[in-house]
Amino acid sequence: MTLNIYLSGEIHSDWRERIVAGASGLDVSFSGPVTDHDASDDCGVRILGAELNKFWHDHKGAKLNAIRTRHGIAGADIVVVRFGEKYKQWNAAFDAGYAAALGKSIIVLSPPEHQHALKEVHAAALAVAEEPEQVVQILRYVLTGALPG
Amino acid sequence: MTLNIYLSGEIHSDWRERIVAGASGLDVSFSGPVTDHDASDDCGVRILGAELNKFWHDHKGAKLNAIRTRHGIAGADIVVVRFGEKYKQWNAAFDAGYAAALGKSIIVLSPPEHQHALKEVHAAALAVAEEPEQVVQILRYVLTGALPG
Amino acid sequence: MTLNIYLSGEIHSDWRERIVAGASGLDVSFSGPVTDHDASDDCGVRILGAELNKFWHDHKGAKLNAIRTRHGIAGADIVVVRFGEKYKQWNAAFDAGYAAALGKSIIVLSPPEHQHALKEVHAAALAVAEEPEQVVQILRYVLTGALPG
Amino acid sequence: MTLNIYLSGEIHSDWRERIVAGASGLDVSFSGPVTDHDASDDCGVRILGAELNKFWHDHKGAKLNAIRTRHGIAGADIVVVRFGEKYKQWNAAFDAGYAAALGKSIIVLSPPEHQHALKEVHAAALAVAEEPEQVVQILRYVLTGALPG
Amino acid sequence: MTLNIYLSGEIHSDWRERIVAGASGLDVSFSGPVTDHDASDDCGVRILGAELNKFWHDHKGAKLNAIRTRHGIAGADIVVVRFGEKYKQWNAAFDAGYAAALGKSIIVLSPPEHQHALKEVHAAALAVAEEPEQVVQILRYVLTGALPG
Amino acid sequence: MTLNIYLSGEIHSDWRERIVAGASGLDVSFSGPVTDHDASDDCGVRILGAELNKFWHDHKGAKLNAIRTRHGIAGADIVVVRFGEKYKQWNAAFDAGYAAALGKSIIVLSPPEHQHALKEVHAAALAVAEEPEQVVQILRYVLTGALPG
Amino acid sequence: MTLNIYLSGEIHSDWRERIVAGASGLDVSFSGPVTDHDASDDCGVRILGAELNKFWHDHKGAKLNAIRTRHGIAGADIVVVRFGEKYKQWNAAFDAGYAAALGKSIIVLSPPEHQHALKEVHAAALAVAEEPEQVVQILRYVLTGALPG
Amino acid sequence: MTLNIYLSGEIHSDWRERIVAGASGLDVSFSGPVTDHDASDDCGVRILGAELNKFWHDHKGAKLNAIRTRHGIAGADIVVVRFGEKYKQWNAAFDAGYAAALGKSIIVLSPPEHQHALKEVHAAALAVAEEPEQVVQILRYVLTGALPG
């Protein structure tokens, strides 16, 4: 049993690296968005030509990123959605909704202070964790049945 | 051709009323979430029993609300998602993602200052409007072909 | 918004009647299995011919009942699954699994003593109630936003 | 032709081991739930934090187990559902219903005394066996055309 | 609960009329193929122009008939497939396979002498009857719970 | 049996009117795109604001029109796709592909000179006609079994 | 591009062997039913126990064979359905209908004398051939673009 | 993350070769139609027998080609649709519509002079490029996050 896992959301902390490192040795395959902020913002105009209007600048980029995002979520068994302390993070919530409608297993990784605001997202999740290490423990349990010592 | 329209998102302004009033005479049917904030927050414990832990208090409520939300989105031809000036509004973005994965036509109603933060949501929409009256004009055009004078 | 509701499970108490009576005045439509125990058991052989072997006797009947059950669940927005105090009730759990895979909103109605044994079924539900009146309150809230006084 | 087989149900006898051993040499791949009873019961709170209320203790665990169960059933060609002599085993019937709605080929493994109570589950199955060795014979026949001597 | 019923197969006896008459008073809606043999054979060339080659003559007609057949089966809750004593009746078996893949409830109406040759079709059915009146009894039972006296 | 029919393609001749008039008295419901060329081209900027760049001017309009088009095709039993003598008509071919992937019954209405260039579209159709009156005859036959005199 | 091909239908001639031999060197994978007539007829009772009634004898066998058949068709890109000169061959037509509803590419292999009786099945096919060697030529063309010399 | 890419459309220039060469070293797999114009036109009659009528000559060929096209599009993550300067190219627009309805990520490759005529197709795309090298840049970005220097 291999698990394909899409890591959605926050790109300003090392949560992805901690999960990937912690899951070393497990039969898992990770994917996620482009995490280079500038590349992600400017990919559309860099490849397809500049736009005067910021809306279309962003639009072109968001659509290129959607190619990667949709492919990753559609191919995933589990979608982990991380909400950090800052920013609007509507793309994370959007990914969660998208994954929920596809029937994916969702794990939300979020800090306690966002509990109330995330209650609808949490309600669609099979697990709500606060630390990346808990996500690793979930993956290990799901794959091997082993619990933390 | 009747259009079923789900009005998702912000519950603190009169945007739903303005759309419903403006669409008077069109062959449309509207649905949306419970917009009484307190009822929406407390429905779970009021019906199914109190919880000491705020997480489960919210969880019970969010799941009851999901019965209505999922039914409304699943039955909609068009999902209008409103982002206001304030609050996290992750449930709105979640609904947008959910609707996108189901292939629904999405109209986003959002203020200019949220343009960049909403670029992924906008990229999944068939229209991005700033005023409820524009949503009404879209509905009128889609149903009758008539444009604003 | 009309809600179609399938009432699955126990046929030896008046829970269906209590829900239907309580929901009087709400925009709901109820369906459910044939609740005449003898008819349900013998329908296959009564219509299609006797069987010496009890397995095939039951098999013919269960398949005729499946015509009704599948139609009811497939057309439902909400599936209420009732587990009573007695009997194996595997058909109720089967219906719950069937409804879950179809993405239906599930409400489980079960007594406290079955909590642990039903944990997998409860985990797939959007609400777990103990009394039929709570189901009525959920339906009223989902349809109208009104909570019990 | 490789067959992916999910082995659902009873965890207190050696039926899984007998099937896996008997199928040695066949082009099959088996999966199933975590069969360590204590781990299965406590996984939620061990990883995500303790709960005072037994309902939520069980709920957290059942949802983690659902990540594995749904993945296994969704990826299976055949779902074997075992009902033993004891316990409620509603999770087994739930899995059977879930598999049926997904159109999976279902083999039920059950003792004669449960025949009547399982008639709805049997009606959704392509085979009803009493011994694990019969399941092995089915797998061998389906893969190779060979029948028991 | 209204049942939509597609009556597929043999067009040379009065079985459809017997079912429709017998089901008088039940909440059912019937559809079926064009039963005028000559019209069914020649519709393609009559409307779209003659063909020298019999294959294309038949091809054009079969495709026009498919518009009606697919619409009827797709909208049906129950597909009744009738095999008569004569002819190849491959279209009936084709309809049965088509209905099975769509998850429709299938009732086969066939004479005893075809039992062995129809075993794969029977295996996909929820009921196998010999007389149209049994189909009526099934419809009455499924809709009302009433069994023949 | 009501048939929902979407009339896609050419907007510069009276083919839609001829079909609708000819089908008078049949149990059919027609839908189609906005056929006012200017409104169709400019709807996006008229409602959502002007664009300097023609690409985005057209993009906004095409997306609004997509709300109507997708709704019409998704709800149709039959999609009639008309190719006229002039213009690129890629939107007609796009609609045909869209309808084919959804499994809709397709009728193509096209002049003989386009036969070779349309062969892939014709191959996905259940009928290829040259005159609107043939489409009417098909609808009458499908609904009533009656052929032209 | 690998093509998975299910070879359905007649089991009394060497058509499967001729296709498999002819396709040597192509990137194809073949599957099909158990072609040992006696094993196919008796598998149910040999594994799951004898039946006095021939209907149930056949029923048990047909259901075991369905495990293999459904798996093969569901996993196929192309379903080749062979109708021979003799027998009812309703299972072949059933498989064709099943494959059609799943959107599989269908190739029918049938003798000229069955042309009229198979017109509905032919209408659902992308190719109608008379000789196994034509099927091989189709597979070679689809995979490599090469036509017979 | 491997990307499967179907290259649809124009067969008279070297755009496919430029994309395949440019994507050297990326984890991509390409497929596309048979690009030998004569083989593509005549495959049907060469394998399945001559036709006097050009319509059926083309029909047989278009259906054989559909086996390859549908398989390629169904298995693709990304469908690139190329419109050249010449010809009707309705098959390209048909493929785009087919891909859109399946939810595939679409990249359109088209010259500026076709902008207005392709606005509906562009509206369904996640990127609109003018040069094959831009498609390569998109693939590199989606797979690796790297942008052109």
Side-chain angles (χ1 to χ4, degrees), chain A residues 37 40-41 54-56 58-59 61-63 65-66 70 83-91 93-102 106 114-125 128, chain B residues 37 40-41 54-56 58-59 61-63 65-66 70 83-91 93-102 106 114-125 128:
Chain A
H37 195 142
S40 176
D41 269 11
K54 187 58 162 55
F55 182 89
W56 298 118
D58 283 347
H59 197 70
K63 282 192 164 172
N65 286 318
R70 291 185 192 179
F83 291 85
E85 276 79 5
K86 296 187 294 185
Y87 306 108
K88 292 294 188 185
Q89 307 184 82
W90 284 320
N91 58 328
F94 181 88
D95 283 357
Y98 196 91
L102 297 182
I106 296 173
H114 287 337
Q115 185 269 319
H116 184 66
L118 281 171
K119 64 184 189 295
E120 288 86 2
V121 180
H122 287 169
V128 178
Chain B
H37 195 142
S40 176
D41 268 11
K54 187 59 162 55
F55 182 89
W56 299 118
D58 283 347
H59 197 71
K63 283 192 165 172
N65 286 318
R70 292 186 191 177
F83 291 85
E85 278 77 8
K86 294 186 294 185
Y87 306 108
K88 292 295 189 185
Q89 306 183 82
W90 283 320
N91 58 328
F94 180 88
D95 282 357
Y98 196 91
L102 296 182
I106 297 172
H114 287 338
Q115 184 269 317
H116 184 66
L118 281 171
K119 65 184 190 295
E120 289 85 3
V121 179
H122 288 169
V128 177

Side-chain angles (χ1 to χ4, degrees), chain H residues 71-94:
Chain H
H71 181 259
I73 295 178
D77 301 305
I78 297 174
V79 176
V80 181
V81 188
R82 163 73 176 175
F83 291 86
E85 277 77 7
K86 296 187 294 186
Y87 306 108
K88 293 294 189 185
Q89 307 183 83
W90 284 319
N91 58 329
F94 180 87

Side-chain angles (χ1 to χ4, degrees), chain C residues 26-110:
Chain C
L26 295 176
D27 189 0
V28 289
S29 172
F30 291 102
S31 63
V34 171
T35 55
D36 175 328
H37 195 140
D38 290 342
S40 175
D41 268 11
D42 296 335
C43 60
V45 296
R46 288 282 293 280
I47 295 175
L48 297 169
E51 294 290 334
L52 291 176
N53 186 329
K54 187 60 160 57
F55 182 89
W56 299 119
H57 178 114
D58 283 347
H59 196 71
K60 276 175 150 178
K63 283 191 165 173
L64 284 200
N65 286 318
I67 298 176
R68 179 170 171 132
T69 302
R70 292 185 190 179
H71 181 260
I73 295 179
D77 301 305
I78 298 174
V79 176
V80 181
V81 189
R82 163 73 175 174
F83 291 86
E85 277 77 8
K86 295 188 292 185
Y87 305 108
K88 292 294 189 185
Q89 307 183 83
W90 284 320
N91 58 328
F94 180 87
D95 283 357
Y98 196 90
L102 296 182
K104 303 294 177 184
S105 291
I106 297 172
I107 300 172
V108 175
L109 185 54
S110 55

Side-chain angles (χ1 to χ4, degrees), chain D residues 1-5 27-30 77-78 139 142-143, chain G residues 67 71:
Chain D
M1 183 167 61
T2 307
L3 288 176
N4 294 304
I5 301 163
D27 189 1
V28 289
S29 172
F30 290 104
D77 301 305
I78 297 173
L139 298 180
V142 168
L143 281 162
Chain G
I67 298 177
H71 180 260

